[in-house]
Amino acid sequence: MPTVALLATGGTIASTGGPDGRVPTATGRDLLRQAGLSGGETTVPVRDLELGGSFSWDLEKMRLVVEEMQAALAAPVPGTDGARPDGLVVTHGTDTMEETVFLASLLLDDPRPVVLTGAQEPYDSRSPDGPENLRDAFAVAADPLARDRGPLLCFDGMVFAARGVTKIDTLSHRAFGAPGRGRRRRGA
Ligand code: ASP
């Protein structure tokens, strides 16, 4: 069974409503539990980063997140003889996810899948899209076919390469697209 680690950096996927508006409050383990992913308790290595809304991140913060990705990939999986994770999922606000995945594609040099995801609906929504996005991201990160493709962005049942992906909708669950980069025909 491949081991996929989780780096949780906030975003709508982790946000709940409160007196100060909607802010990230759910931890990585909360997200795993909500998605029904085994490992919500202990087996998935999780790192939580608190950096505020991704809409306010500058290049320095994005670089920090990429460094945390490197650290998560390098960290031994607890309960093993020092084995490293087979892949990494990063939960991220949608506003700058395309910038972070692009920066990661420039800075990371690792064949293992790194898959960014998030949500349009908050954690405490009655119909959250985060759990399905997270399950999809874990499935992609565990798939050997996702190796050697650079960091990927997985959202609403679609998987995008870092180059060309962009946020195309503020509200709909289909938040990301890659205009001008349609599906490839087999063999093309
Ligand atoms: N609106 C953003 C999101 O969808 C918030 C952020 O980018 O942190 O996650």
Side-chain angles (χ1 to χ4, degrees):
M1 263 294 263
T3 300
V4 176
L6 174 64
L7 174 63
T9 75
T12 296
I13 191 169
S15 295
T16 52
D20 300 326
R22 200 178 274 163
V23 287
T25 57
T27 64
R29 294 226 175 274
D30 292 333
L31 299 180
L32 289 170
R33 255 181 243 118
Q34 187 191 39
L37 286 164
S38 65
E41 300 315 318
T42 51
T43 54
V44 175
V46 177
R47 297 163 85 88
D48 283 290
L49 277 187
E50 286 175 38
L51 296 173
S54 86
F55 46 83
S56 66
W57 293 7
D58 56 13
L59 201 52
E60 255 329 286
K61 279 204 176 158
M62 286 175 207
R63 205 170 55 86
L64 180 72
V65 171
V66 176
E67 281 170 9
E68 289 289 336
M69 293 179 194
Q70 273 161 333
L73 287 166
V77 176
T80 69
D81 288 343
R84 305 293 191 264
D86 300 290
L88 175 68
V89 168
V90 182
T91 51
H92 195 297
T94 58
D95 291 349
T96 54
M97 201 187 299
E98 74 194 62
E99 284 84 356
T100 301
V101 76
F102 185 71
L103 185 65
S105 78
L106 300 177
L107 300 180
L108 284 185
D109 183 16
D110 198 302
R112 290 171 290 174
V114 172
V115 185
L116 278 72
T117 195
Q120 291 285 65
E121 310 275 348
Y123 178 79
D124 57 359
S125 161
R126 277 188 292 173
S127 54
D129 55 332
E132 192 170 351
N133 286 345
L134 195 62
R135 286 191 292 273
D136 286 349
F138 267 80
V140 172
D143 192 330
L145 285 174
R147 286 176 67 88
D148 282 311
R149 292 179 187 274
L152 301 168
L153 191 158
C154 178
F155 215 96
D156 194 37
M158 312 218 5
V159 186
F160 300 94
R163 211 165 276 253
V165 66
T166 188
K167 189 171 177 183
I168 55 168
D169 200 300
T170 318
L171 298 174
S172 121
H173 287 189
R174 180 129 306 175
F176 288 92
R181 292 175 189 250
R183 295 173 197 183
R184 275 205 216 139
R185 286 217 189 95
R186 197 176 304 180

